[in-house]
Structure formats: structure tokens, C-alpha cells
Amino acid sequence: MRISEAFEKGPLLIVYICAGDPSPDATPDLVRRLEKAGADIIELGLPHSDPIADGPTIQAAAQRAIAAGMNTDRYFQAAAEAKVAVPKVFMGYYNMIYARGLDRFARDCANSGITGMIVRDLPPEEAAPLQKACAEHGVDLIFLVAP
């Protein structure tokens, strides 16, 4: 399901989890349980060793996930195994995308069933290259913009 289709339903329950917490193997089941519990969109965070825009709860989850062996390859594997009818959205930092390659990252999102990306530290005015890669692979790029 596309993100825009989910919003046609009206108000949504959008839930975030840090992939890999408590373990990479548990992530697909947790995503399926969130859907079963009523989540309309699931934000699946890719843990980062140096989170600059996360509070202490998400920082702790990221550290547990990294310690449990979560990495970018395992992230996409878990996302692909988490077969759900609701949209899955990547949430993470630009340097993880840049290191993998913008086109490859967007393609990996699409191939694993991720239909949207939230990049916490990417300002819209600098997003054209990633927007292009996302458009080519049918992934929505979602911005966090302060009022």
C-alpha cells in the first residue's frame, strides 16, 4: 500500500520501532504484530551509532540494536521479511544512505517493501539527488520541517 492511500482513510496511527531491538531476527514479527494491533503506517528506524536528532529512548534502542548485530544489510532483510499490508517507512540519517549510494539505498527500500523515507537530517533544499533516486524507485521522500 502506498502512503497516500493510507491517508485516504482519515486519521492514522503511525508507529515507530527501531529495527534490531531487541534483535534483528525479532524485527519482522514485531512489524507484523504492530499491523495486527492497528498501526496504519510503520516507521522502521535504522539504528545509528551517533544519533543527533533522537532522544534518550531511541538512542538506547539504537545502541541495543547495534549491539545485537543490526546493520544496513540486515535492516533490509528484516524489512523484506516483515510482510504487511500497511506502508513501511524508513527512518534514519543521510550519511547511512550516502555511504550505501543513493540509488542503491532507494532501490533496496523498494525491493524490501519500504514505500517511504524520512531522513532526519536532510533539509529539503539539499534533497534533490535523493529525491531523484526515490522517484526512480517509487519511494516517497518525506521531510521533517519545523513550522
Side-chain angles (χ1 to χ4, degrees), residues 9-103:
K9 294 172 37 178
L12 302 178
L13 175 61
I14 302 173
V15 179
Y16 170 89
I17 64 166
C18 180
D21 183 28
S23 73
D25 292 337
T27 299
D29 185 53
L30 290 173
V31 171
R32 289 187 292 270
R33 287 176 184 228
L34 288 170
E35 178 191 38
K36 194 174 191 177
D40 297 302
I41 294 177
I42 300 168
E43 295 175 353
L44 193 56
L46 176 56
H48 190 307
S49 60
D50 191 22
I52 59 171
D54 293 318
T57 301
I58 294 176
Q59 287 179 13
Q63 292 304 314
R64 289 190 301 266
I66 291 167
M70 182 52 83
N71 60 39
T72 306
D73 290 331
R74 291 185 85 181
Y75 173 88
F76 285 119
Q77 177 184 1
E81 291 173 9
K83 306 257 190 254
V84 291
V86 300
K88 294 179 288 192
V89 174
F90 160 83
M91 184 177 272
Y93 292 95
Y94 186 72
N95 64 346
M96 295 183 285
I97 298 165
Y98 183 79
R100 193 170 186 90
L102 280 57
D103 186 71

